[in-house]
Every structure is written in C-alpha cells, then in structure tokens.
Amino acid sequence: MSNLDIDENFQTAIEQDRQVKIQSGDLLRISLSSLQPEMNAMFNDPSTDLDFNRSVINSINAEGFLVDETGQINIPVVGKLKLDGLSKSQATLLIEKGIEEYIVDPVVTIQFANFKITVIGEVKNPSTFYVPSENLNIFEALGLAGDMTEFGHREDVRLIRESDGIRSVTTLDLNDKDLLKSPYYILKQNDIIYVQPDKMKSVKVSTNERGMVFLSLAVALVVPILFSWQAIFAK
C-alpha cells in the first residue's frame, strides 16, 4: 500500500454481502443439536450420513455433505435441500426449517470442510492450502505461502475465480490501498492467486543466460588455442 500516506488513517466500510456463498462441489460439515433424544433416534441410522449421540448430534458424517452438481445436498429423512448460492446463515435456516418437522428447536451449524485456496508463482512456498475459516483475505493467503519472493510483482497479482459457471481473471495491485475496498480482497473457495515475476527477474535470468553463453564461447575458443600451444612446445 505504497500510496497510503504515513499520517493517513484510511478506512473503508466492510460490506455485509461479502459472505462466501455455497456452490456445487463444496463439502459441508453440518452439526445438529437437540434436547429430544427420542426424536434424534429416528435419524440414527448407520447407513446414513447422520450420527446422533444422545441429545447432541456430533458432526454429520466425518467427511461431510457434498453439494452436488445441481447445488443440493441430501439429508436422510428430510430429503434434498438446494443450498447453491446461499450463505452459511441462509443455509442454516433452511436446514433447521427442514428438520423442524422431526425435531423441536433444532440448532444447526455449518462449516466448509474443503475450503481451499491456491497460491503459486513468485512466493516462497507455493501450494494449495485448506483453511478452517472461509473469512480469509489475500494478505493472509500470501502469508500462508510464506510471502512473496524478492521478484514478486506486487502491482500485478492475478486472481483466478470461478463463480456462477464463469471463470474470471482479475489483476490486483497490492500497492494500492483501494484493494481493501475490492470484492476480491476477501477470498472465496477455490480461488487461485498467481504472483507474477517482475522485470528484474527477467533481466537477471537473461543476464545469467548471456553470461553462460559468453563463458561457453570463451571456453570453446580458448581450449583449442591451448592445445595448439601445447603441440608447438612439444615439437
């Protein structure tokens, strides 16, 4: 944020609609709790994804519920619920409403089990990272990757995002304070961050390559001359 004055107190409102939305391919961990063990028992079927334990239902399926290609999950007894495009709070209300017929005053919590982002390019530890919280910003993601290398181009960071069936590429300038206002500041599941190399790396690589070429040429020229001198002295 090089355009932020040293004595400037820059502020920006946090938009409420920045919540991560559920989409096809997400894996959700859903936990339920209730004070009615007799009602919970009707869900207690080892062949299903539900695991009720007394009055507390712990972690429905260790793996979680996969949101299918139609944007739905299938909860035994309740049936299919369409969660695609909903925030966690909206999905929570929908699931609670779906099981109210069987359980009085259910409490539902949802977590993303496969929320991941990928950071590649000019960073110290490029990799795919699974994070426990979906409230992750771009600086935290770069921190997971060990920050940029000395050749990272901070004015040209590419963010690849898939949303609503569309794959887009956006250029971000980390030296611009207005990044904090950007809808890309908070990352979404499956985002890919590519840190491009700056021109200095290209110059350095080119210089090194030219140096190797000159060295090879010098060796190619000098070695025959040395052998010629050796032959002359030998005579």
Side-chain angles (χ1 to χ4, degrees):
M1 301 183 186
S2 57
N3 62 348
L4 182 65
D5 294 335
I6 192 170
D7 57 349
E8 180 182 358
N9 182 21
F10 179 77
Q11 295 181 341
T12 182
I14 299 176
E15 298 178 11
Q16 296 303 315
D17 61 353
R18 285 186 177 181
Q19 298 182 72
V20 174
K21 302 298 178 63
I22 297 170
Q23 59 187 24
S24 297
D26 286 341
L27 193 64
L28 305 176
R29 285 201 180 98
I30 305 174
S31 296
L32 306 172
S33 62
S34 169
L35 297 177
Q36 294 180 290
E38 67 280 3
M39 291 295 183
N40 298 339
M42 68 188 303
F43 289 89
N44 190 16
D45 182 353
S47 65
T48 70
D49 291 325
L50 296 172
D51 179 19
F52 289 75
N53 182 14
R54 296 182 183 179
S55 62
V56 179
I57 307 102
N58 296 317
S59 65
I60 300 178
N61 191 336
E63 296 299 325
F65 283 105
L66 180 65
V67 182
D68 65 21
E69 63 277 3
T70 66
Q72 300 182 96
I73 62 171
N74 188 14
I75 298 182
V77 179
V78 176
K80 289 190 174 183
L81 296 175
K82 188 173 180 62
L83 304 184
D84 182 42
L86 301 181
S87 65
K88 286 199 310 180
S89 58
Q90 291 171 329
T92 296
L93 292 175
L94 183 62
I95 295 174
E96 287 177 348
K97 184 177 180 180
I99 63 177
E100 279 179 348
E101 181 180 349
Y102 310 99
I103 300 176
V104 177
D105 296 329
V107 178
V108 175
T109 59
I110 300 177
Q111 288 183 316
F112 288 93
N114 66 337
F115 190 95
K116 72 181 190 306
I117 53 95
T118 300
V119 187
I120 55 177
E122 287 298 325
V123 291
K124 295 176 182 176
N125 302 304
S127 185
T128 295
F129 302 95
Y130 289 84
V131 292
S133 171
E134 64 276 8
N135 188 24
L136 185 78
N137 64 54
I138 189 169
F139 293 111
E140 291 171 326
L142 291 171
L144 290 175
D147 202 0
M148 295 184 183
T149 69
E150 60 181 315
F151 298 112
H153 193 179
R154 286 160 174 76
E155 295 83 6
D156 191 1
V157 175
R158 305 296 173 90
L159 189 145
I160 304 170
R161 172 171 294 176
E162 296 184 4
S163 180
D164 299 325
I166 298 175
R167 182 179 295 113
S168 61
V169 181
T170 303
T171 300
L172 303 177
D173 182 357
L174 302 191
N175 283 340
D176 187 355
K177 62 186 178 183
D178 286 336
L179 175 64
L180 298 177
K181 302 178 183 179
S182 169
Y184 301 97
Y185 176 70
I186 298 295
L187 301 179
K188 294 185 177 181
Q189 64 271 48
N190 305 316
D191 277 355
I192 300 174
I193 300 170
Y194 171 56
V195 179
Q196 296 212 112
D198 62 17
K199 296 180 179 179
M200 289 301 297
K201 182 171 185 178
S202 300
V203 171
K204 183 175 181 179
V205 171
S206 177
T207 301
N208 290 341
E209 289 178 348
R210 287 198 299 268
M212 292 298 295
V213 170
F214 289 146
L215 179 60
S216 299
L217 289 174
V219 170
L221 292 173
V222 170
V223 169
I225 294 174
L226 290 177
F227 277 111
S228 299
W229 287 353
Q230 288 180 347
I232 294 172
F233 289 129
K235 294 179 180 180

